[in-house]
């Protein structure tokens, strides 16, 4: 035994003893350092001439249960072999001359079984299937969109030594480059008959079994695995991109200008929601992650940008369910001299054109196989009228001190009788909305505009032209959930200040969703904001409506609670 081998054996024995006595829990840094030591140990064994089998420690006696599993160790060892022999496991450049999609488009259905061409291509893709025979190996490569192409690696074509290396080094999940002639195999499978191969990126982590459905946890926590293994996940990413592009085209057709507004804000406002808080060290200033861009987009209206929209992230520190996420994408738009009627027509066009651009029809097929129709005219209903009908008594809006409408006490009695959950800080408008939701919220299946909301719950909306205590606001419901909202925007600085004060008092009473008083915004309104219609719609919810998925399935990288231990 050489000195080096003796030193290595001694080190391994010491490390093994330490691993057996060490606790299994590690800090992030300790764990990363341990994995690096294991990588180095594997490479050292390979450089000393050990075989793959001699390099791998299935029981992890040396490094403990938190170290690389056997399959990862094997792949790390193959990476070490490549480095030892001067092969790059992660080369900078490969002569990729054609995509898998291009080869498929050009040759599919045009070659007879066994037919060969003299056309040479250089392609690359992820290895999803391997069959290593004696003198001929078959490999299936997949492009990012899932398009597949067969590669054939023959000893006669590349030589015995190269074929031996192929069998030894290539694993499922690797990115592989092939250069060769385009042919059809004897069974008629379109193929590249390789004269050259190279690993484009060595995968150290094995893929899951691709013939089985991914579980929800893997799909959510490791979306990149979902994109590889599940066509539905890939399609969601692509359709989301198409949907956003469609929205931008429609806004552009109507003369809207896209802007970006602050995500870090000194005052939270623009919606009734609990914000996330953070701190800016440079200014020693507490800030909020924005819950909505509304107040800044309205400043644009003041500044003369009369048709403005933004597609960007919002953050709300609230519950998580099938239609709510703490971080989500919102589109908001404001149109000078519009109303909630004109903005409603715009939203209808936005949704219908998105369905057409993404799926080619106003009728879409949901994940459960059912069809949903966004076409035609959409229903409308009044919040107070429909609630009065459901209760069998007229519910009257709160029109002010001289016209108080249905009392808070009576509304509370109705809520208690029906078992409707009540807020700690209540008013007429909140109780009306809770009661309405009890009867209707999850029952409005076809697209429906619910119009004319209580003034107390809509501090940024203009009062109704003819109905005291009601504001010109609609919510659009689709398949039992709220998809979008639209307003005739409040632009009277005095009334806006009154609304802000009422909200601030609610906040002081314990309402965590109430807005604060934004004096800068009030000053902007004082400069003069034209009458306007405005809307907001969640991009994630639009995908829910179009696909029948949950919000986590529509967000490419959803926030999930970390696993403990």
């Amino acid at each position: 035994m050489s000195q080096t081998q003796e030193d290595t054996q001694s080190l391994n024995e010491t490390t093994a003893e330490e691993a057996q006595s060490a606790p299994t829990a590690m800090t992030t840094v300790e764990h990363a350092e341990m994995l690096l030591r294991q990588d180095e140990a594997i490479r050292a064994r390979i450089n000393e001439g050990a075989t793959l089998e001699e390099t791998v420690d299935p029981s992890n006696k040396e490094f403990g249960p938190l170290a690389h599993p056997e399959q990862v160790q094997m792949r790390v060892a193959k990476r070490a072999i490549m480095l030892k022999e001067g092969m790059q496991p992660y080369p900078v450049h490969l002569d990729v001359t054609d995509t898998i999609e291009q080869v498929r488009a050009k040759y599919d259905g045009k070659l007879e079984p066994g037919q060969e061409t003299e056309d040479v291509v250089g392609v690359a893709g992820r290895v999803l299937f391997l069959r290593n025979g004696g003198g001929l190996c078959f490999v299936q490569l997949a492009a990012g969109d899932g398009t597949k192409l067969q590669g054939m690696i023959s000893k006669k074509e590349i030589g015995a030594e190269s074929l031996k290396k192929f069998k030894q080094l290539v694993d499922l999940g690797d990115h592989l480059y092939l250069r060769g002639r385009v042919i059809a195999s004897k069974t008629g499978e379109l193929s590249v008959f390789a004269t050259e191969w190279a690993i484009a990126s060595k995968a150290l982590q094995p893929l899951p079994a691709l013939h089985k459905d991914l579980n929800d946890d893997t799909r959510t926590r490791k979306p990149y695995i979902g994109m590889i293994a599940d066509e539905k996940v890939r399609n969601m990413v692509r359709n989301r991109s198409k949907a956003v592009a469609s929205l931008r085209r429609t806004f552009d057709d109507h003369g809207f200008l896209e802007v970006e507004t602050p995500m870090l804000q000194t005052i939270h406002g623009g919606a009734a929601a609990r914000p996330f808080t953070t701190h800016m060290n440079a200014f020693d200033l507490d800030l909020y992650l924005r819950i909505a861009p509304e107040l800044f987009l309205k400043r644009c209206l003041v500044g003369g940008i009369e048709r403005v929209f933004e597609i960007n992230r919002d953050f709300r520190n609230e519950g998580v369910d099938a239609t709510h996420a703490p971080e989500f994408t919102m589109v908001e738009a404001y149109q000078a001299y519009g109303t909630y009627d004109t903005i409603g027509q715009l939203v209808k066009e936005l949704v219908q054109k998105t369905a057409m651009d993404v799926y080619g029809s106003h009728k879409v097929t949901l994940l459960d196989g059912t069809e949903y129709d966004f076409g035609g005219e959409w229903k409308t209903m009044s919040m107070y009228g429909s609630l009065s009908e459901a209760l069998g008594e007229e519910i009257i809006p709160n029109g002010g001190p001289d016209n108080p409408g249905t009392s808070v006490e009576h509304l509370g009695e109705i809520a208690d009788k029906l078992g409707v959950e009540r807020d700690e800080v209540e008013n007429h408008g909140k109780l009306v909305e809770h009661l309405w939701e009890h009867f209707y919220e999850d029952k409005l299946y076809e697209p429906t505009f619910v119009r004319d909301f209580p003034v107390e719950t809509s501090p940024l909306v203009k009062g109704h032209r003819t109905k005291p205590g009601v504001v010109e606001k609609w919510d659009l419901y689709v398949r039992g959930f709220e998809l979008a909202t639209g307003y005739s925007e409040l632009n009277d600085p005095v009334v806006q200040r009154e609304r802000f004060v009422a909200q601030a008092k609610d906040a002081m009473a314990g309402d965590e969703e109430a807005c604060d008083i934004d004096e800068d915004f009030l000053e902007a309104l004082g400069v003069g904001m034209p009458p306007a219609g405005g809307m907001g719609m969640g991009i994630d919810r639009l995908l829910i409506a179009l696909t029948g998925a949950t919000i986590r399935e529509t967000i490419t990288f959803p926030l999930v609670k970390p696993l403990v231990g």
Side-chain angles (χ1 to χ4, degrees), residues 18-179:
E18 291 174 352
Q20 289 173 0
S21 61
T24 56
M26 291 183 173
T27 66
T28 302
V29 173
E30 288 170 341
H31 185 240
E33 288 180 331
M34 180 266 291
L35 294 179
L36 283 174
R37 290 196 303 272
Q38 188 176 31
D39 293 342
E40 291 164 2
I42 289 172
R43 187 172 180 185
R45 294 189 194 111
I46 289 295
N47 288 339
E48 290 169 2
T51 65
L52 285 172
E53 290 71 20
E54 292 168 341
T55 304
V56 173
D57 176 13
S59 62
N60 260 328
K61 292 179 181 178
E62 181 179 346
F63 291 96
L66 298 182
H68 290 313
E70 182 178 358
Q71 285 195 59
V72 175
Q73 291 181 58
M74 183 68 74
R75 289 165 181 252
V76 170
K78 291 180 181 183
R79 172 187 178 275
I81 290 173
M82 294 180 70
L83 292 171
K84 179 182 178 182
E85 298 186 2
M87 302 168 67
Q88 282 298 324
Y90 308 100
V92 174
H93 173 73
L94 292 162
D95 190 20
V96 177
T97 60
D98 304 83
T99 66
I100 290 174
E101 297 93 331
Q102 288 170 339
V103 175
R104 275 282 175 201
K106 185 174 180 180
Y107 295 99
D108 248 350
K110 298 177 182 177
L111 301 180
E112 298 294 328
Q115 183 179 348
E116 300 187 6
T117 76
E118 295 303 317
D119 299 340
V120 176
V121 297
V123 298
R126 189 183 292 275
V127 177
L128 296 188
F129 173 80
L130 267 175
R131 189 171 81 229
N132 291 332
L136 180 64
C137 296
F138 294 89
V139 60
Q140 185 187 71
L141 302 183
D145 68 352
T147 305
K148 298 177 178 64
L149 181 66
Q150 180 170 275
M152 298 171 65
I153 298 91
S154 166
K155 181 170 71 173
K156 291 182 180 179
E157 195 71 30
I158 66 171
E161 185 61 26
S162 181
L163 183 65
K164 178 182 176 183
K165 290 297 180 190
F166 180 89
K167 293 179 179 180
Q168 179 187 40
L169 297 175
V170 177
D171 289 303
L172 294 178
D174 290 350
H175 287 269
L176 184 69
Y177 166 78
L178 296 178
R179 181 172 179 82

Side-chain angles (χ1 to χ4, degrees), residues 270 294-295 298 458-462 487 489-490 496 499-500:
E294 177 170 344
L295 301 186
K298 286 181 175 178
S458 308
L460 300 167
V461 189
K462 186 168 285 187
Y487 305 160
E489 299 295 339
L490 178 59
Q496 184 64 80
R499 302 270 186 89
F500 275 159

Side-chain angles (χ1 to χ4, degrees), residues 260-480:
E260 294 177 342
T261 61
M263 291 197 184
L264 290 174
Q265 300 182 353
T266 56
I267 298 173
H268 68 89
R274 182 179 179 181
F276 287 94
T277 60
T278 187
H279 185 82
M280 181 180 176
N281 292 332
F283 291 171
D284 190 21
L285 182 66
D286 288 335
L287 295 169
Y288 301 99
L289 294 181
R290 74 172 185 198
I291 57 177
E294 177 170 344
L295 301 186
F296 285 92
L297 291 175
K298 286 181 175 178
R299 286 170 169 91
C300 291
L301 291 179
V302 172
I305 303 173
E306 295 189 339
R307 296 190 177 204
V308 63
F309 79 99
E310 180 174 10
I311 298 176
N312 221 322
R313 299 298 243 190
D314 287 349
F315 308 86
R316 298 183 182 179
N317 198 358
E318 299 174 339
V320 177
D321 57 31
T323 58
H324 292 84
E327 177 185 6
F328 59 97
T329 304
M330 176 76 82
V331 54
E332 287 200 18
Y334 296 86
Q335 178 181 345
Y337 304 103
T339 67
Y340 76 150
D341 296 309
T342 58
I343 211 74
Q345 288 301 310
L346 175 64
V347 167
K348 180 169 171 283
E349 182 179 342
L350 287 166
V351 174
Q352 289 183 338
K353 282 193 173 181
T354 300
M356 187 64 69
D357 289 344
V358 176
Y359 296 104
S361 172
H362 290 156
K363 288 185 178 181
V364 299
T365 302
L366 305 178
L367 291 179
D368 63 5
T370 60
E371 274 195 347
Y372 189 86
D373 190 0
F374 286 99
E377 292 302 315
W378 291 356
K379 288 176 57 178
T380 63
M381 62 191 296
S382 158
M383 173 165 283
Y384 277 93
S386 58
L387 178 58
S388 297
E389 182 179 342
L391 289 173
E393 65 173 282
E394 185 177 8
I395 302 299
I396 302 172
N398 177 11
D402 299 328
N403 185 17
T406 305
S407 69
V408 171
E409 291 75 18
H410 182 57
L411 291 171
E413 290 171 0
I414 296 173
D416 291 340
K417 183 178 179 181
L418 294 172
V420 174
E421 186 175 346
R422 299 171 62 176
D423 294 337
E424 290 184 14
V425 181
E426 289 187 322
N427 54 42
H428 170 95
K430 283 192 173 187
L431 284 165
V432 166
E433 288 198 16
H434 288 330
L435 289 168
W436 182 89
E437 289 167 359
H438 171 77
F439 287 106
Y440 292 104
E441 182 175 37
D442 59 356
K443 299 176 179 64
L444 299 179
Y445 187 78
E446 62 183 290
T448 304
F449 288 108
V450 181
R451 293 164 59 95
D452 302 339
F453 279 62
V455 66
E456 295 91 345
T457 59
S458 308
L460 300 167
V461 189
K462 186 168 285 187
H464 198 280
R465 281 161 272 187
T466 61
K467 302 175 184 177
V470 172
V471 294
E472 293 197 351
K473 168 187 173 180
W474 52 254
D475 278 353
L476 171 62
Y477 279 83
V478 171
R479 293 180 39 243

